[in-house]
């Protein structure tokens, strides 16, 4: 076998949506499903935010009750190595 001198670079998790409302919808209670690809160390937490508000720890699916108008959802993952 071969022992490497330098370990491979750690890669932050990549979040992707698995469920989201259409760009235009009448649904005032949209659900967002999400997951993350990571380097095998596992995901420790997800953090969600709506309309640029304060992030909160969340799980998939995340549902909101919203009023009509434009909205923006964001989600980020933190893996067990602390990469985000």
């Amino acid at each position: 076998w071969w022992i490497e001198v330098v370990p491979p670079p750690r890669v932050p998790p990549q979040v992707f949506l698995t469920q989201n409302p259409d760009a235009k919808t009448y649904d005032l209670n949209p659900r967002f499903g999400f997951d993350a690809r990571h380097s095998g160390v596992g995901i420790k937490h997800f953090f969600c935010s709506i309309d640029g508000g304060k992030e909160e720890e969340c799980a998939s699916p995340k549902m909101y009750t919203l009023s009509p108008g434009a909205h923006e959802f964001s989600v980020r993952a933190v893996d067990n190595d602390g990469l985000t």
Side-chain angles (χ1 to χ4, degrees):
W1 75 86
W2 182 267
I3 298 175
E4 293 288 334
V5 176
V6 178
R10 297 183 319 165
V11 178
Q14 296 177 327
V15 178
F16 58 95
L17 293 177
T18 59
Q19 176 185 7
N20 58 287
D22 292 335
K24 291 186 179 182
T25 182
Y26 294 99
D27 185 1
L28 297 177
N29 299 296
R31 287 179 183 262
F32 297 89
F34 45 88
D35 204 348
R37 292 184 182 91
H38 54 87
S39 59
V41 297
I43 299 298
K44 187 172 186 175
H45 301 286
F46 285 99
F47 292 93
C48 296
S49 174
I50 193 76
D51 298 333
K54 182 180 176 186
E55 286 187 324
E56 62 181 13
E57 192 169 339
C58 59
S60 180
K62 176 68 176 164
M63 189 178 89
Y64 291 96
T65 300
L66 303 171
S67 58
H71 297 282
E72 182 177 302
F73 171 75
S74 66
V75 58
R76 76 181 168 92
V78 178
D79 70 16
N80 286 316
D81 279 344
L83 296 176
T84 187

